[in-house]
Amino acid sequence: MKDVTSSLVCKCGCGNMLISACECTNAQVYRAIVTQQIKAGMSKEEILDSLVKMTASQKLKDLAEQVEREGAVAEAAVMEGFRQLLKEYGVERFSGFGFGDVAYFLKNCGRGEEILGAPKAQGVHLIGWTLPFILLLVSGGVIGMFLMRLKNRAIPAPSTPDSASVERSQATSSPSALSAYEARLDEELKKFDF
Amino acid sequence: MMAADLGRFSILFALLCAAYTLVAGIYAGRAKDRLRQEQWWQSARRGLLAVFLLCALAIGVLIHAFVTHNYNITYVWSESNRGMPVQYKVSAVWGGQDGSLLLWVFVLSCYGALMVWRPQPTVRSIMPYTAAVMAITQVFFLLLVNFTANPFRVGPPHGLEGMKWPPPDGRGLNPLLQNYWMQLHPPALYIGYVGLTVPFCYGMAALMSGKLDSDWIIAVRRWTLFAWTFLGCGILLGGIWAYETLSFGGYWAWDPVENASLIPWLTGTAFLHSVMIQEKKGMLKGWNMVLVIITFALSIFGTFLTRSGIIQSVHAFAQSGIGPYFWTFLLLMIILGFGFLFLRGWYVSAGLVTLFTFGLFIIHTFGRLKTGIHPPAPDTPNAPLPPEGAEYLLLAVSFAVAGAMAYVVSSELIGIFKNDGKPRYNALQGDNEFESWLSREAAFLVNNWLFVGAAFAVLFGTMLPNLTEALWGAKITVAGPYFNVVMPPIGLALLFLTGVGPLIPWRRASPKNLWRNFRLPAAVAGASLPLLWLMGVRQDAYIGPIPISFSLIVLATCVFVTATIVWEFYRGAKARHALTGESYFAALINLTLRNRRRYGGYIVHFAVALFFAGVTGSMMYKVEVRKDLHPGDTLRIAGYELKLNKVAIERVPGWKESLVAHVDVALKGRKLLTLKPRQDTFEGFGRDMQQTPIPAILYTPQHDLYLVLRQVANPNNLKSTSIHLQVYLFPMVLWVWVSGVIFLIGNFVCMLPGAKELRAPERVTVKGWVMER
């Protein structure tokens, strides 16, 4: 349940909160629908697909327009139409919500793919999913080539011993070397400060 | 004189002073005669000090107006009422757009004054230009505050012209902003955002004066660190506010406005690291300039996103019609940056800035395609809109320049890779030397690559709905489910680098170095794996068909990073102890104080590891339970027993009314405390957020118990009503906030001045003028 509702966003104007987190009527209706779909044995993918199709369907648009046009006068027809619509998408029972809730849902449920928290990784949306990584790889390649050029140009130099190696050699050295070591340590550490 | 007049005059005079400073600064910068330069510089300096005093006066007047209920001022009426506690009256100053812009100007004026108060002698020669660039920014914001979003406007707002004025009481503040964290979050964020202007000023001044060595970088390091620290803390404070106020069961939602604050922080982080490589090795001078310019631009762009309404956000209360002004200013500043980079012959850097501008241009254009020209301005309906022609002219110019620079960059790259390895221009200026892939230099470059890549990924994801709709007509949403897939791999790579980078020596590391430095941290991290598994960290993700435990990888990496840091402190303290005979504790303190940047940096890195651990625990292992409860009913979660004691009403006359559920919390039969989740209803008119659930939280180091009162079934009969209670258990979330404190401490250590810096600068007298050497 949580897994499914965390993949859906609320379009009630709350700023794309996840359906699992939002408390508006819209989110409550979604949660009720998802609960029934899970009971009907549908998988996460099936539920998400069905909700995308349902919210993009002409039937849902017609119902929303009917509410807009006729208001509460159309209550019985809209409620029946909405139940029929839900049945097509695996929801056998829908209760606990009145006409006001359904009208709110029809207006604010979002349409089609926009109800998903992220576009499905297929078709043109693959660009959206992969472009950050592609650009990272390409820019990494450019930087790598730039560094190769610098590396080939550089004069090899002996490695600089780090503080640990100095410390280790210090551990075995005589006390007379202490002051020299301290000066060296200070010098090394100063490089990190100013 | 009325308070409103005093406020109006002070911001008007501040504008005049800033404009004067701009002229005086440029004149001082161009003067050949040293005495004349000094006189004009001192004059520009006093100009910035005057701007500060006048802005301080203005914000003081506004605070006074809020506290004394001066509802003659429209903004005070709009954002407060009499019943609000005094602390919220003060924070209401930045509760709306006009006041928040005044706060921005005030913070900017503070930076301006501090910047010129006692500049470092090494950058003394570029200070006139630094003051001039600061003055340009001040002029822009003061123009906005004076003529578009004036918080001292008097009289009824647009649409309510007939109402009695001044009214007896105000409208009240947005309920969501009536939280103590909101007293800290916006100022901290502004100190961060606005502070990013300072490195930009220095960078531009270096370009304008032609003094392009590393002095400006050294001078600017601490300013950047300061602004970056506050921006980071501001973001975290916003997270605490969301956690304690919004009741959505988290603290970060990848909201576009949150993202807008994160993006400049990421590029700022890249800059703070690449500064070191320029200081130490003289590398990447041009790149650093690019980072300074884009970080500043992104801070302005973030504000533009917040105000323009081109994206859908929970921060919609900040939207207005001033977005286009920000966009215009942003383009002007980028063109200024590009122009000077070009003039100095830094063509590749200029090209990178242009490509960046081109990206913003695309985003902006598609944003406008989606939202239409000039979005509505709910809070400032009177705000005049800028001429469209001027804006489009600027867009056209940026487009043309982008095309030209694409040519320059491509020819440069062709020069590098095909033309016998010799670039046509001087690529990424600097004394570039690179010996090995296993070196500190390489680690820094990877760091910059990843941070800028992360910034791009966040920016791209934020604007993806606009781009997709404009290009393919498809309406999509890009929220947590997208960012939670794209960002973790980049974050994990950065976390790993946090542990590895500091222990790799400069120039070249040998396998022996690596073995010596990393064997112990790697062993500790390896040993932590079974321990974490025993603690319940399990498989939580898939890579294709392969099940993995991402949280296990992240937490083990956190252990690795922590082990490297502890190991470094231990080795340093041991060496000092052996040398000086100090106790280990004293050695540790002295070691840190004598090498503030290095060890302060380690403390910050530790904060990062702790932050990652806290986020991983709290987001991937949170538990949620919902239940209807009557008085006397209990709910059990993770050993806790929650018993609804009663539901009551609490009133603060003139301010708010709260429905409060008293929930007794017991652990293993022992009562710990009573938590009181509530639903607040605020008084005041014109606000539609009537019932705001405010969670009650039990903070513990292991986990937070987080209670939200979702519904009271029958508010008219509280004795027998049922409530709908939502309970979360967030593991380790406290460590996210603790990491913020450690982050602050680490940065404070980094910023401490050394003995050399505390010495007063040497002064000389020339023809009666005292000058610092």
Side-chain angles (χ1 to χ4, degrees):
Chain A
M1 170 74 178
K2 191 84 178 169
D3 197 22
V4 180
T5 52
S6 296
S7 302
L8 297 166
V9 285
C10 186
K11 306 304 280 188
C12 71
C14 59
N16 294 330
M17 276 176 74
L18 298 180
I19 288 292
S20 57
C22 192
E23 284 304 312
C24 73
T25 306
N26 188 45
Q28 288 174 15
V29 173
Y30 263 120
R31 286 200 290 265
I33 293 171
V34 171
T35 306
Q36 291 299 318
Q37 288 179 318
I38 290 171
K39 277 185 186 167
M42 291 168 73
S43 68
K44 179 184 171 184
E45 292 308 313
E46 286 170 342
I47 292 173
L48 295 179
D49 279 346
S50 74
L51 290 175
V52 168
K53 280 181 191 152
M54 184 184 87
T55 51
S57 70
Q58 190 58 43
K59 278 186 185 171
L60 188 133
K61 279 182 198 162
D62 291 344
L63 284 172
E65 280 171 15
Q66 194 176 358
V67 170
E68 191 75 26
R69 209 171 44 241
E70 300 171 25
V73 178
E75 178 174 347
V78 168
M79 291 299 280
E80 184 51 33
F82 189 58
R83 284 203 184 89
Q84 289 299 326
L85 179 70
L86 291 180
K87 269 187 187 164
E88 289 176 27
Y89 294 95
V91 181
E92 289 299 323
R93 279 191 68 231
F94 179 74
S95 58
F97 295 96
F99 173 70
D101 301 328
V102 171
Y104 186 85
F105 177 80
L106 289 170
K107 190 179 175 189
N108 298 292
C109 63
R111 298 287 180 264
E113 274 193 307
E114 70 170 337
I115 67 167
L116 300 175
K120 287 184 81 172
Q122 61 186 30
V124 291
H125 300 319
L126 270 176
I127 300 172
W129 279 103
T130 53
L131 193 66
F133 297 107
I134 291 172
L135 283 185
L136 261 177
L137 288 176
V138 170
S139 57
V142 171
I143 294 169
M145 289 169 80
F146 176 68
L147 291 183
M148 285 286 267
R149 192 173 68 93
L150 286 180
K151 191 166 178 280
N152 294 339
R153 209 176 58 178
I155 304 153
S159 65
T160 313
D162 62 352
S163 56
S165 62
V166 177
E167 181 203 325
R168 207 168 64 158
S169 63
Q170 177 59 41
T172 55
S173 63
S174 65
S176 61
L178 274 178
S179 58
Y181 168 61
E182 186 175 18
R184 175 74 186 277
L185 180 67
D186 275 358
E187 203 53 47
E188 287 286 317
L189 294 176
K190 268 180 198 165
K191 288 177 186 171
F192 295 96
D193 220 320
F194 63 86
Chain B
M1 186 190 275
M2 286 171 64
D5 294 331
L6 185 58
R8 270 201 300 272
F9 281 125
S10 54
I11 54 175
L12 187 63
F13 279 117
L15 173 62
L16 295 174
C17 288
Y20 170 76
T21 305
L22 171 59
V23 176
I26 292 174
Y27 201 82
R30 291 179 64 84
K32 300 281 180 244
D33 174 51
R34 189 164 177 222
L35 179 61
R36 187 168 285 274
Q37 188 196 56
E38 182 65 20
Q39 286 169 334
W40 279 104
W41 150 242
Q42 289 297 343
S43 189
R45 183 172 169 264
R46 285 174 193 136
L48 285 183
L49 295 175
V51 172
F52 161 68
L53 291 174
L54 288 162
C55 289
L57 177 64
I59 203 148
V61 167
L62 193 61
I63 291 171
H64 181 263
F66 268 98
V67 174
T68 58
H69 314 133
N70 188 345
Y71 298 126
N72 191 35
I73 297 174
T74 317
Y75 182 70
V76 176
W77 166 82
S78 167
E79 303 300 331
S80 70
N81 62 10
R82 287 179 185 275
M84 282 164 51
V86 70
Q87 69 269 25
Y88 293 136
K89 285 176 188 160
V90 174
S91 61
V93 167
W94 51 84
Q97 173 175 273
D98 301 1
S100 65
L101 278 176
L102 183 66
L103 177 68
W104 187 294
V105 170
F106 171 65
V107 175
L108 191 62
S109 72
C110 291
Y111 275 115
L114 285 169
M115 206 174 72
V116 297
W117 182 253
R118 227 184 89 180
Q120 286 184 13
T122 48
V123 284
R124 173 61 191 76
S125 61
I126 65 167
M127 282 315 289
Y129 284 124
T130 311
V133 180
M134 173 57 81
I136 296 174
T137 319
Q138 290 183 348
V139 165
F140 166 71
F141 281 98
L142 281 163
L143 277 171
L144 278 185
V145 168
N146 272 284
F147 303 113
T148 306
N150 192 326
F152 297 105
R153 212 167 36 224
V154 171
H158 180 70
L160 295 170
E161 283 81 1
M163 77 182 285
K164 185 182 172 235
W165 202 264
D169 202 354
R171 279 204 312 175
L173 184 64
N174 183 334
L176 292 178
L177 305 183
Q178 297 188 42
N179 174 283
Y180 45 85
W181 293 114
M182 281 311 279
Q183 295 169 57
L184 298 173
H185 164 56
L189 207 60
Y190 278 23
I191 292 171
Y193 258 137
V194 179
L196 295 175
T197 310
V198 178
F200 176 73
C201 292
Y202 274 95
M204 289 306 302
L207 279 173
M208 289 161 87
S209 63
K211 194 172 178 299
L212 294 162
D213 53 25
S214 292
D215 285 344
W216 76 272
I217 280 278
I218 293 166
V220 96
R221 189 189 63 83
R222 192 170 284 138
W223 288 104
T224 315
L225 195 61
F226 182 79
W228 177 81
T229 304
F230 270 87
L231 186 57
C233 288
I235 293 170
L236 206 62
L237 287 169
I240 301 176
W241 165 73
Y243 185 67
E244 291 199 349
T245 309
L246 296 186
S247 307
F248 71 89
Y251 40 84
W252 184 263
W254 295 106
D255 179 75
V257 174
E258 293 172 350
N259 297 349
S261 62
L262 181 64
I263 297 165
W265 188 85
L266 290 169
T267 54
T269 316
F271 175 67
L272 279 172
H273 286 88
S274 68
V275 160
M276 286 184 253
I277 204 169
Q278 182 174 341
E279 274 183 67
K280 284 283 294 176
K281 307 286 289 184
M283 288 171 77
L284 302 182
K285 288 179 180 171
W287 173 243
N288 279 328
M289 202 64 87
V290 172
L291 278 179
V292 161
I293 293 171
I294 67 170
T295 301
F296 171 72
L298 285 168
S299 75
I300 299 291
F301 188 69
T303 316
F304 162 71
L305 279 187
T306 317
R307 312 273 173 181
S308 67
I310 71 167
I311 46 171
Q312 198 180 1
S313 157
V314 293
H315 293 71
F317 52 79
Q319 289 175 9
S320 74
I322 65 167
Y325 292 108
F326 274 90
W327 176 245
T328 309
F329 173 67
L330 172 66
L331 278 186
L332 282 172
M333 288 294 100
I334 293 178
I335 288 171
L336 189 73
F338 157 78
F340 277 101
L341 282 170
F342 197 84
L343 281 176
R344 297 289 168 212
W346 290 17
Y347 300 119
V348 172
S349 304
L352 289 171
V353 168
T354 311
L355 289 177
F356 165 76
T357 315
F358 188 63
L360 290 189
F361 162 77
I362 291 173
I363 287 167
H364 175 263
T365 308
F366 288 158
R368 288 165 69 93
L369 280 174
K370 187 184 168 194
T371 55
I373 306 294
H374 301 311
D379 280 351
T380 53
N382 285 329
L385 297 169
E388 286 175 27
E391 197 183 339
Y392 280 116
L393 182 66
L394 285 170
L395 294 181
V397 169
S398 70
F399 196 83
V401 173
M405 288 318 300
Y407 168 75
V408 173
V409 172
S410 57
S411 66
E412 174 74 2
L413 291 175
I414 289 166
I416 290 172
F417 298 124
K418 290 197 175 167
N419 188 18
D420 196 22
K422 288 177 186 169
R424 200 170 142 183
Y425 308 112
N426 181 17
L428 295 174
Q429 295 66 30
D431 320 318
N432 300 321
E433 257 185 41
F434 182 73
E435 286 180 28
S436 166
W437 296 102
L438 281 174
S439 63
R440 183 78 64 90
E441 291 91 323
F444 273 124
L445 286 170
V446 174
N447 156 302
N448 264 238
W449 169 59
L450 285 172
F451 269 112
V452 174
F456 170 78
V458 179
L459 182 63
F460 177 70
T462 305
M463 302 313 297
L464 191 54
N466 297 40
L467 297 172
T468 307
E469 188 171 355
L471 288 172
W472 292 287
K475 279 194 173 188
I476 59 161
T477 305
V478 176
Y482 173 86
F483 292 104
N484 290 340
V485 172
V486 171
M487 297 310 293
I490 304 174
L492 181 62
L494 281 169
L495 178 65
F496 181 68
L497 204 60
T498 305
V500 171
L503 296 196
I504 300 183
W506 291 100
R507 300 180 73 180
R508 182 190 293 273
S510 64
K512 213 171 159 185
N513 289 139
L514 297 177
W515 171 244
R516 194 167 47 238
N517 285 351
F518 294 110
R519 65 183 171 188
L520 191 76
V524 172
S528 73
L529 286 169
L531 204 65
L532 288 164
W533 183 267
L534 287 174
M535 287 166 71
V537 180
R538 291 287 184 273
Q539 183 262 323
D540 50 31
Y542 286 91
I543 297 180
I546 307 163
I548 60 156
S549 176
F550 190 74
S551 50
L552 190 66
I553 297 169
V554 174
L555 291 172
T557 312
C558 291
V559 171
F560 170 73
V561 174
T562 308
T564 59
I565 294 164
V566 172
W567 183 228
E568 270 297 279
F569 270 101
Y570 170 73
R571 290 196 307 184
K574 190 179 160 199
R576 258 200 90 82
H577 168 76
L579 284 168
T580 62
E582 293 171 337
S583 70
Y584 273 101
F585 182 72
L588 196 67
I589 299 294
N590 287 328
L591 181 81
T592 307
L593 291 178
R594 281 172 67 94
N595 311 283
R596 296 172 305 282
R597 282 177 71 185
R598 184 183 187 183
Y599 289 95
Y602 287 153
I603 295 171
V604 174
H605 282 188
F606 172 61
V608 170
L610 198 60
F611 174 82
F612 269 84
V615 168
T616 306
S618 58
M619 288 295 104
M620 300 190 81
Y621 290 89
K622 72 176 173 186
V623 178
E624 183 193 350
V625 175
R626 287 165 175 264
K627 196 175 178 187
D628 288 326
L629 297 173
H630 285 89
D633 287 353
T634 56
L635 182 159
R636 289 173 209 282
I637 179 171
Y640 289 100
E641 189 177 277
L642 310 177
K643 182 179 176 187
L644 177 63
N645 193 337
K646 64 175 180 179
V647 185
I649 286 188
E650 290 176 8
R651 289 192 180 88
V652 182
W655 183 34
K656 68 173 182 179
E657 183 180 284
S658 307
L659 279 170
V660 185
H662 293 239
V663 181
D664 294 337
V665 180
L667 182 65
K668 294 174 186 168
R670 191 169 63 87
K671 187 184 167 187
L672 297 177
L673 79 168
T674 300
L675 286 175
K676 296 178 182 175
R678 63 180 203 269
Q679 288 193 339
D680 287 345
T681 307
F682 287 83
E683 294 190 11
F685 61 98
R687 301 289 180 199
D688 53 2
M689 293 180 204
Q690 283 305 302
Q691 282 194 326
T692 312
I694 303 293
I697 306 165
L698 170 64
Y699 297 94
T700 76
Q702 296 90 7
H703 46 238
D704 282 9
L705 189 64
Y706 186 98
L707 271 56
V708 188
L709 176 60
R710 283 297 174 200
Q711 204 177 9
V712 177
N714 187 0
N716 297 321
N717 186 3
L718 294 179
K719 281 192 178 169
S720 62
T721 187
S722 70
I723 63 164
H724 187 65
L725 193 68
Q726 184 180 21
V727 183
Y728 287 104
L729 201 74
F730 287 113
M732 297 168 70
V733 73
L734 188 67
W735 298 106
V736 176
W737 318 134
V738 171
S739 75
V741 177
I742 295 172
F743 172 79
L744 202 59
I745 293 169
N747 280 310
F748 178 72
V749 170
C750 287
M751 281 185 269
L752 281 175
K756 196 174 143 194
E757 293 166 86
L758 289 172
R759 278 202 299 271
E762 194 182 337
R763 289 167 192 268
V764 292
T765 307
V766 179
K767 294 182 186 173
W769 280 79
V770 179
M771 302 182 198
E772 289 174 1
R773 263 191 205 280

